[in-house]
């Protein structure tokens, strides 16, 4: 490269060499330097990828997670309201739990709860429909398995048969109700969860007593239940009902007097139980049963007295207890 021509000013000092300002082409490395237009353009695509791609990949799961959270919250509120006897609120939250639950395989719990609420509201057809829906999705218990989390969930699902059995009984379908009780008993691992087995045996015996069907089996059932858990009032009441239907009125009276006495003692020792709707209704049902025995024995005065106590305590003839 030839040396540049140096020029001097009027005083003889050299004039600094100047060069034309270079132009930058679109392919120049400078154009791709940080802060350049291409860099800014790339940054926009980068943010688009960072947000859109995960949304496409995991969006459904994130939405389901949110819905599941709301569904569980509504289910818990439904349980709390039902426990407090607030059936309308319980029904509202159970409906919401069903609507929000994204996974149909988890619907069964909410349907079981709503079926129980409907049964308590005397909406028996709707209760039966929800029981049938719950059984479509609920896991099936295996009586051969030992306790584990999945088995406990399956045992909880067995309670659907209990709700449906009572609903069927109230609809006048006693044979179907007893069949559901038998299904639950056969599925229940009695060698592991003996208390639950006793409860199921008691229910089958009680439905037999109410319907007058299979009384011999009912007597065996309640005897086995009492052998497992002892003479708790609810079981003694059932035994009294079975004896009543068998025509053994004096034995029935002895059982019902025993059951009522124990419950009345509990009531005196724990005054708070007087505010427990289920406890009071259970006692009222026992008085109703004893009134039936007194009637059979020809003691109409005592029968009327017990019948009045039953009504005051909350006995509802429409429930068929």
């Amino acid at each position: 490269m030839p040396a540049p021509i140096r020029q001097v000013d009027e005083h003889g000092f050299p004039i600094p060499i100047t060069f034309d300002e270079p132009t930058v082409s679109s392919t120049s490395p400078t154009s791709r330097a940080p802060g350049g237009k291409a860099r800014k353009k790339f940054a926009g695509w980068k943010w688009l990828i960072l947000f859109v791609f995960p949304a496409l990949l995991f969006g459904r799961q994130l939405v389901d997670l949110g819905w599941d959270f709301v569904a569980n919250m509504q289910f818990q509120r439904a349980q709390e309201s039902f426990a407090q006897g607030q059936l309308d609120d319980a029904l509202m939250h159970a409906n919401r739990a069903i609507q929000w639950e994204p996974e149909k395989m988890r619907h069964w719990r909410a349907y079981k709860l709503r079926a129980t609420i409907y049964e308590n509201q005397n909406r028996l057809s709707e209760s039966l429909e929800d029981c049938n829906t719950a059984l479509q999705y609920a896991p099936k218990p295996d009586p051969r398995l030992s306790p584990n989390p999945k088995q406990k969930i399956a045992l909880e699902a067995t309670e659907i048969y209990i709700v449906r059995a009572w609903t069927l009984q109230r609809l006048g379908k006693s044979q179907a109700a007893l069949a559901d009780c038998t299904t639950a008993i056969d599925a229940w691992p009695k060698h592991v969860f003996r208390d639950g087995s006793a409860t199921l045996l008691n229910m089958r015996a009680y439905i037999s007593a109410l319907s007058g069907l299979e009384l011999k089996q009912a007597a065996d059932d309640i005897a086995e239940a009492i052998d497992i858990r002892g003479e708790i009032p609810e079981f003694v009441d059932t035994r009294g009902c079975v004896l009543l239907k068998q025509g053994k009125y004096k034995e029935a009276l002895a059982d019902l007097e025993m059951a009522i006495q124990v419950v009345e003692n509990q009531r005196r020792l724990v005054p708070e139980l007087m505010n427990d709707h289920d406890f009071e209704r259970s006692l009222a049902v026992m008085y109703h049963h004893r009134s039936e025995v007194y009637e059979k024995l020809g003691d109409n005065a005592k029968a009327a007295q017990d019948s009045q106590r039953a009504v005051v305590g909350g006995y509802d003839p429409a429930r068929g207890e």
Side-chain angles (χ1 to χ4, degrees), residues 49-62:
I49 292 172
L50 286 175
F51 282 105
V52 174
F53 183 73
L56 292 175
L57 197 61
F58 304 108
R60 179 51 191 249
Q61 291 90 327
L62 293 173

Side-chain angles (χ1 to χ4, degrees), residues 96-265:
R96 291 176 179 175
I98 291 171
Q99 293 165 359
W100 279 93
E101 177 55 67
E103 178 53 63
K104 287 191 175 182
M105 293 303 291
R106 295 195 294 264
H107 274 175
W108 66 270
R109 277 196 177 99
Y111 276 109
K112 183 191 78 170
L113 177 57
R114 192 170 72 174
T116 307
I117 297 168
Y118 280 147
E119 190 271 322
N120 276 266
Q121 292 180 324
N122 295 324
R123 298 167 65 174
L124 301 180
S125 297
E126 290 161 295
S127 175
L128 182 59
E129 183 179 351
D130 271 1
C131 285
N132 293 336
T133 302
L135 286 172
Q136 291 179 15
Y137 300 113
K140 303 297 185 291
D142 187 341
R144 299 168 298 176
L145 297 178
S146 58
N148 59 66
K150 290 185 178 179
Q151 177 70 341
K152 288 180 180 179
I153 292 174
L155 293 179
E156 183 186 345
T158 304
E159 295 173 6
I160 302 169
Y161 289 103
I162 298 174
V163 179
R164 191 170 73 171
W166 186 242
T167 299
L168 288 167
Q169 168 63 22
R170 295 184 60 197
L171 286 169
K173 301 178 180 180
S174 299
Q175 288 287 6
L178 290 172
D180 267 359
C181 289
T182 300
T183 298
I185 290 170
D186 291 344
W188 196 270
K190 61 178 68 178
H191 64 288
V192 178
F193 300 100
R194 287 174 56 80
D195 285 359
S197 176
T199 299
L200 293 173
L201 289 166
N202 173 68
M203 182 169 189
R204 186 167 68 179
Y206 189 56
I207 289 178
S208 290
L210 291 175
S211 62
L213 300 173
E214 301 179 22
L215 294 177
K216 176 61 172 65
Q217 180 65 58
D220 293 340
D221 283 346
I222 194 58
E224 184 178 352
I226 289 175
D227 184 59
I228 293 172
R229 292 197 60 189
E231 291 186 329
I232 62 176
E234 294 79 8
F235 289 8
V236 174
D237 174 70
T238 297
R239 188 173 65 186
C241 289
V242 173
L243 290 167
L244 169 62
K245 288 302 177 73
Q246 289 178 327
K248 301 176 182 179
Y249 304 133
K250 290 184 179 180
E251 294 93 328
L253 180 60
D255 270 350
L256 292 168
E257 286 181 337
M258 181 195 304
I260 290 172
Q261 185 63 46
V262 171
V263 177
E264 285 285 12
N265 288 339

Side-chain angles (χ1 to χ4, degrees), residues 8-20:
V8 295
D9 60 14
E10 58 183 359
H11 302 289
F13 293 101
I15 299 173
I17 300 173
T18 60
F19 299 91
D20 293 336

